[in-house]
Amino acid sequence: MGRRVLVVGGGGREHALGWRLSTSPSVSVIESAPGNPGLAELGPVHAIDPADPEAVAVLAEERDIDLVVVGPEAPLVAGVVDQLQQREIPAFGPVAAGARIEGSKQFAKEIMVAAGAPTAGYVATGDREVAQAALERFAPPYVVKADGLAAGKGVRICDDLDDARDAVDDALVRRVFGEAGANVVVEEFLDGPERSLFGVCDGEDVVLLAPAQDYKRALDGDGGLNTGGMGAYTPVPGFGLADVARLRELIFLPVLRELARRGSPYRGLLYAGLVETATGPRLLEFNARFGDPETQVVLPHLASDLGELLWASATGTVRDVEVTWHEGAVATVVLASGGYPGPYDTGVPIDGVGAADALDGVQVFHAGTARDTSGALHTAGGRVLDVTARGVDVTDARARAYDAVRYISFDGMQHRTDIAAGI
Ligand code: AMP
Ligand code: GLY
């Protein structure tokens, strides 16, 4: 008998988690809360608030769940895993104190520095004069960040010193980010391609997953506004197993030791956002959860049992787990609502998902979709679908993903055309 798993969340990342878990021999049942139309094909979905710890814990007990897998950061920050631990329900994800590694940039920086991990030089302060003086210490472009969670809008990268000063004042004086901007981090600009590297942690030990590249800007050629991510691929040429093993020693294990030393051992997913600079990889940030849409390529690439791996994280046994990978590569293209990341319509009918999904090697993950009472699919978010394909290499995976994109349509649909191009 396999385990009964509850996936918390309802985006493309959670659909990918549920889908991979549904193929894991160690898992027998997938339920989700609140889920989405993709997850609804895998098992029961429950319309509760995923960031309500009590509601999640009660549901897990009622449904006799063996393992709760938390996808997004909001439930982690709200203490869903703390509540589950109190009731002795195994959960994948950090407690609220651990999720601070994502929720506070200043805290993350302190941990990086204490662990000796390579990162950008920085000054963190709530004092306007100190922040303004700090800018003088760095060369352009200047990086000014609100300390707390600011819905992805808290980072300003400025070519001009006056703009950077204005960014400091926006946060500290004009308080445009509210409390999230009560402190700012002024830091050195890291130049180079970004990589996402995921570690599955159990408090002491970590298993690293295949590196992925995400495309954060809305438009081709990295133009337009920052988004949650418009596409991804894995593996990343030139960033192989030996590099991953080195970063495990250089970043992940020292950070886990530092967090344990401070009395909050870290369990769950530790996401390192890295920049491949001329002098080697340096840490941009940590997140306390799987990346979206990187998860939609990393998990189809994973050959071994995801359910065992997440269970091992929840129960402190990752050192016993070995992960294996498929040959070839995976690419995903995000189909977004017209206007995203700005305002957009919802409730727009979607065509062609079934035909795209039926193509060889293709998997369409639901990110922001819903069904109406007649069962018809429509848009329900900014990022709507993640069209994902496996191929013999990145070029082949990309071609298959874009082929599948042609089957899908909805009014205003937008996507990048250069995901995984020229790799
Ligand atoms: P964050 O909210 O910290 O993930 O930052 C959002 C985006 O801003 C990152 O994905 C980078 O593209 C960019 N960014 C943030 N900090 C830096 C930095 N120190 N150097 C270069 N780019 C940065
Ligand atoms: N794709 C970037 C993130 O999940 O934060």
Side-chain angles (χ1 to χ4, degrees), residues 16 35 78 80 112 130 154 160 163 169 178 187 229 246-247 263 279 296 319 321 327 355 375 381:
V80 164
M112 291 176 200
V130 174
D160 184 277
D163 277 354
D169 285 350
E187 71 179 28
R246 202 164 50 80
L247 292 175
T279 56
Q296 290 88 309
R319 68 168 45 81
V321 179
E327 297 289 315

Side-chain angles (χ1 to χ4, degrees), residues 105 120 143 145 155 157 187-190 194 216 226 284-285:
K105 293 188 193 301
V143 182
K145 302 180 172 185
V155 177
I157 298 180
E187 71 179 28
E188 177 191 358
F189 181 77
L190 299 177
E194 287 181 43
K216 291 212 170 74
N226 240 346
L284 199 57
E285 59 168 350

Side-chain angles (χ1 to χ4, degrees), residues 71-403:
E73 62 272 31
L76 298 170
V77 171
V80 164
V81 173
D82 307 60
Q83 179 64 237
L84 292 166
Q85 280 189 356
Q86 274 173 29
R87 299 183 188 220
E88 296 182 4
I89 302 167
F92 175 75
V95 293
R100 273 181 74 209
I101 201 132
E102 171 162 359
S104 165
K105 293 188 193 301
Q106 182 173 347
F107 176 67
K109 280 296 212 183
E110 276 170 30
I111 298 293
M112 291 176 200
V113 171
T119 182
Y122 78 105
V123 173
T125 180
D127 183 317
R128 174 178 184 264
E129 303 311 317
V130 174
Q132 298 288 8
L135 287 170
E136 313 275 349
R137 286 185 26 201
F138 296 106
Y142 303 94
V143 182
V144 179
K145 302 180 172 185
D147 176 53
L149 289 174
K153 298 192 174 68
V155 177
R156 286 259 295 268
I157 298 180
C158 313
D159 289 324
D160 184 277
L161 188 56
D162 283 338
D163 277 354
R165 292 203 168 106
D166 196 51
V168 166
D169 285 350
D170 267 354
L172 295 184
V173 181
R174 291 184 281 275
R175 291 295 178 107
V176 300
F177 306 114
E179 274 308 297
N183 286 292
V184 293
V185 174
V186 174
E187 71 179 28
E188 177 191 358
F189 181 77
L190 299 177
D191 196 15
E194 287 181 43
R195 316 276 184 231
S196 304
L197 186 57
F198 301 157
V200 177
C201 306
D202 71 358
E204 283 178 18
D205 208 342
V206 56
V207 169
L208 289 198
L209 305 185
Q213 173 153 5
D214 177 22
Y215 291 74
K216 291 212 170 74
R217 299 295 197 93
L219 305 177
D220 282 2
D222 287 335
L225 296 173
N226 240 346
T227 71
M230 294 299 287
Y233 68 86
T234 190
V236 180
F239 191 164
L241 286 181
D243 301 296
V244 170
R246 202 164 50 80
L247 292 175
R248 181 173 180 274
E249 303 291 329
L250 192 66
I251 293 178
F252 285 86
L253 288 174
V255 163
L256 287 183
R257 276 196 294 273
E258 177 62 21
L259 289 168
R261 194 184 66 76
R262 292 176 182 229
S264 49
Y266 189 91
R267 283 188 175 173
L269 202 289
L270 186 61
Y271 165 146
L274 300 164
V275 176
E276 191 63 53
T277 70
T279 56
R282 301 192 37 208
L283 262 172
L284 199 57
E285 59 168 350
F286 281 125
N287 292 314
R289 43 146 186 104
F290 275 103
D292 187 343
E294 298 97 307
T295 303
Q296 290 88 309
V297 293
V298 171
L299 295 186
H301 195 47
L302 177 71
S304 46
D305 187 317
L306 178 66
E308 277 305 343
L309 180 61
L310 302 187
W311 175 259
S313 164
T315 57
T317 55
V318 302
R319 68 168 45 81
D320 301 335
V321 179
E322 205 182 324
V323 293
T324 57
W325 302 95
H326 290 295
E327 297 289 315
V330 188
T332 192
V333 177
V334 174
L335 305 183
S337 295
Y340 175 80
Y344 51 81
D345 290 335
T346 56
V348 180
I350 306 171
D351 279 325
V353 171
D357 207 43
L359 297 171
D360 195 28
V362 171
Q363 184 73 38
V364 181
F365 295 117
H366 291 249
T369 72
R371 288 195 192 279
D372 61 24
T373 44
S374 70
L377 196 66
H378 58 79
T379 65
R383 294 189 292 173
V384 177
L385 295 163
D386 309 313
V387 183
T388 308
R390 284 177 58 190
V392 293
D393 56 20
V394 174
T395 307
D396 184 41
R398 162 188 156 75
R400 286 168 184 269
Y402 276 108
D403 258 352

